[in-house]
Structure formats: C-alpha cells, structure tokens
Amino acid sequence: MTSTTEINSQIAGLSVVLQPSNKTNTTPLNSWLLDLKTAPNWIPLAKHNGINKVLAVLPNCEKYPELLQHIFKHISYGTVLEWEGKSFELTGVEIDNHDLHALEIAVFASDILPHTLGRAIHAQCFQWLANASPDLAEELHSQAIFPITLSTKPSPSRNQIYIRIGILKRQLLAPLLWGMSRNIGCDITLTGIPCRLGKWIDIKHSASYESLMQVPPQKMITLEFLSPTSFKQGQKIQPFPLPELVFSSLLRRWNHLAPEAYQLPQIEWDGFICAYDLKTVALKMKSDPEIGGKGWVRYQFSDPQQAQIATTLAHFAGFAGVGRKTTMGMGQTRINHQ
C-alpha cells in the first residue's frame, strides 16, 4: 500500500482551480496563506477550456505537502479569493506528479530581437534557478547532462518570441518556477534589449517516464527537427540525423535521468531512414555558427523491441530535444503523428 507521505513526496507542483464568484467577503490571493512558514508565489496558467488556474510555487517541492494541507483547510472554510480585482471560489486542487514538463512563456521586446537567443536564454534560466537556490544552480552547471532544455519559438511579430523550457526531472519544476515568478509580467533584459515577460505560463505537455514506456510501439516514426540539430560523431560534427545517432543520444540521456526502475537496455540500432525532407541551417553562436539539420525524417524499425524503445524515446525527444546544445536552442524535436 502507498502511504500519504510517499504520495506527497512525488508532488512536482500543484495548482488551484478558481471559479468566478459574486461573493464580496474576499481574501487577496497573495495573502491568504501567510500563516505558512514559506508562503507560495502564484503564477497564472494559460486558460484551457475557459478554466482559471493559478500555480502555487515554492523554492523546492519538499514543501508542497504542508502547503496542500493548508489549501484543503481553506477549501473547507469556504474561503473566497480576490485575484486581479475579481472574486473567485476555490473549486479544486490539481496535483502534478509528472517527471517531464514542457512550458512556454511569451517575451515582449522593446526592439527587434536577434534570431539567436540561445546564450541569453541559457543565462536567464540559470539566474532563475539561482534565485531559488544558488547551490542548485551551481550543481546543475557542473553536470555533464543538464536536465533542462531551452529553445525559442517565433511569433508573427519580430518583437515577440516564446521561451520554451523542457524540464526532465520532477524536482526542478518548483525551484525554476519559484525563481521565475518574480519576473512574471515584469521586465527582464535579453542581449541588452529590454523585454517584458508574459503574465502567465502555458504548460504545453507533461508526462512521466513510466507513461512514455507504455506508449504503443510504432514501426514507422517521423521526427520533426524544429531547430538546427547536429551530433558529435568521433571528432566531427554530423548534421544528418542518422538513426543510431538520434536514438543512442536519446537513450543515453534517458538512462541518465530516468528512475532506475525505468532504465532501458543498450541497443545496437538496426533502424533505417525511409524518407526525409531536410536542409542544413546555420545558427549563430558566440563564436562560429553551428550547422545543423532542420526538417523531418521518417525512421523504420523492423525489430519489435527496438520499435517499442524507439517509440518511447521519440516521445521523450519532445521534452529532451536531440543531439548537441539543446540548452542553446538546438535539437528541438517533436514526433509527427501524420
């Protein structure tokens, strides 16, 4: 039997669901839990199906069980909250216990942004982590496999982009969002250009390592490489996403980050490419430009075990990216189901 303590230790984050109310005896959202030793910061989530949710963030996820108890207490009291000048009743709490998350947040710039923001986004992410825990930021900086991927998504306006963050360890969601929360809706600077961060976060996808292992296998897998992608092959840089490079790279990262119970066996890949539409694209970095492949590739696996593992890893790629410099905007990948 799983104990309550064990369940709580798996919390990656939690949000409260708010329903508009006509009641007037309200308590401000930012002060209704001041009896907690560490009160949460609140981040609005993007609306889906018209539902209002705000995400409670704390410096680390170990503090969520105590927060959860206080929220339940206020729900039983019938507490009504005031948020953005309106009244809301608490109608529920959603507990997030996923390992993997893909987030997006808008950035509005005062000037046209350069095409390449990899280093600036990388530095900003470390600043957010350091806001929550300088020791954690330093520890992550020294790791060979960084458990966060970073990229940007353009918008029709050159003055607006979306920062996309892939989080590969459940324990990192809380400190990253805690460090980010003080900048939500406020000014930041990227490459010397004044910018304003959006007012809400959109959690685009989340999953667990266990759930990805249960995705039905596909013999044919199409991966879209949304940003330039390349691989270290011996002493050379290979821009073509050969199957053994793509899936060995993903397998190595999976086995480094996934819980021991979900480790995958080492594989001599025998998959092959049956179709592709790729072009090489240069991505300007601090020194020389990086050349990578961008487009789509369809892989085929005849061996059932390899098809199962490749399918799992292809879905993992949507969070982890593929290949080199996935913290600098390269290797952004998604599975194409068409």
Side-chain angles (χ1 to χ4, degrees):
M1 179 181 291
T2 304
S3 70
T4 304
T5 303
E6 288 173 326
I7 293 172
N8 288 339
S9 68
Q10 299 299 314
I11 298 176
L14 58 88
S15 55
V16 295
V17 182
L18 302 177
Q19 180 175 318
S21 169
N22 295 323
K23 296 181 179 177
T24 56
N25 186 21
T26 62
T27 302
L29 175 66
N30 291 320
S31 60
W32 64 301
L33 293 172
L34 290 181
D35 50 337
L36 272 171
K37 185 177 180 181
T38 304
N41 290 334
W42 296 95
I43 296 179
L45 295 177
K47 275 188 180 182
H48 291 283
N49 301 319
I51 298 175
N52 295 294
K53 297 180 188 176
V54 287
L55 190 68
V57 293
L58 290 167
N60 65 68
C61 57
E62 294 176 358
K63 298 179 181 294
Y64 279 125
E66 182 185 3
L67 171 62
L68 189 60
Q69 291 179 359
H70 279 69
I71 291 176
F72 281 148
K73 183 175 69 177
H74 279 273
I75 289 177
S76 67
Y77 290 165
T79 299
V80 181
L81 299 175
E82 182 271 327
W83 177 46
E84 296 186 335
K86 299 176 182 177
S87 299
F88 292 91
E89 292 183 50
L90 290 160
T91 57
V93 178
E94 293 187 354
I95 298 174
D96 180 347
N97 58 7
H98 287 148
D99 302 299
L100 305 161
H101 297 82
L103 319 174
E104 282 185 8
I105 185 166
V107 174
F108 306 92
S110 63
D111 201 351
I112 295 176
L113 290 164
H115 288 290
T116 303
L117 287 167
R119 296 185 68 83
I121 300 298
H122 183 87
Q124 183 63 70
C125 178
F126 268 101
Q127 182 58 58
W128 285 331
L129 289 166
N131 290 345
S133 170
D135 291 342
L136 174 64
E138 186 175 347
E139 178 189 339
L140 292 172
H141 194 269
S142 63
Q143 292 185 4
I145 296 180
F146 188 52
I148 292 177
T149 60
L150 300 163
S151 59
T152 58
K153 188 175 83 174
S155 78
S157 167
R158 288 288 305 277
N159 292 53
Q160 181 182 347
I161 59 164
Y162 294 89
I163 298 176
R164 189 178 189 282
I165 305 173
I167 300 174
L168 311 181
K169 292 184 72 172
R170 175 177 48 79
Q171 298 86 347
L172 295 181
L173 181 66
L176 179 67
L177 294 181
W178 172 267
M180 182 189 292
S181 61
R182 67 176 61 177
N183 290 138
I184 296 292
C186 298
D187 295 337
I188 61 172
T189 301
L190 296 176
T191 64
I193 298 175
C195 301
R196 173 151 293 199
L197 210 58
K199 293 182 178 179
W200 59 81
I201 285 177
D202 193 355
I203 299 180
K204 305 295 288 188
H205 309 288
S206 63
S208 66
Y209 285 96
E210 180 182 15
S211 66
L212 294 189
M213 294 182 73
Q214 296 169 355
V215 177
Q218 296 175 256
K219 289 184 177 180
M220 305 270 279
I221 297 171
T222 302
L223 287 180
E224 277 192 80
F225 300 95
L226 303 171
S227 63
T229 303
S230 67
F231 305 84
K232 190 78 177 289
Q233 189 176 32
Q235 299 303 312
K236 307 293 184 183
I237 302 301
Q238 169 64 267
F240 196 91
L242 297 165
E244 59 271 23
L245 295 178
V246 171
F247 292 95
S248 293
S249 167
L250 287 167
L251 180 60
R252 185 166 53 253
R253 193 172 299 182
W254 174 286
N255 279 344
H256 183 81
L257 297 169
E260 187 175 353
Y262 309 124
Q263 300 289 298
L264 296 170
Q266 294 300 318
I267 289 180
E268 291 289 334
W269 295 101
D270 68 356
F272 63 96
I273 292 173
C274 55
Y276 68 89
D277 184 2
L278 279 176
K279 61 180 179 180
T280 53
V281 175
L283 189 66
K284 186 180 179 182
M285 291 290 185
K286 185 177 181 181
S287 53
D288 297 329
E290 291 281 349
I291 307 296
K294 191 174 175 183
W296 60 266
V297 179
R298 184 166 299 138
Y299 303 93
Q300 185 167 344
F301 297 90
S302 55
D303 179 81
Q305 184 195 25
Q306 290 204 16
Q308 175 66 73
I309 294 175
T311 302
T312 294
L313 294 175
H315 285 269
F316 178 56
F319 300 96
V322 174
R324 303 167 58 247
K325 298 186 181 297
T326 53
T327 62
M328 298 283 185
M330 296 186 70
Q332 187 184 359
T333 310
R334 70 182 176 194
I335 193 166
N336 188 327
H337 297 283
Q338 294 182 350

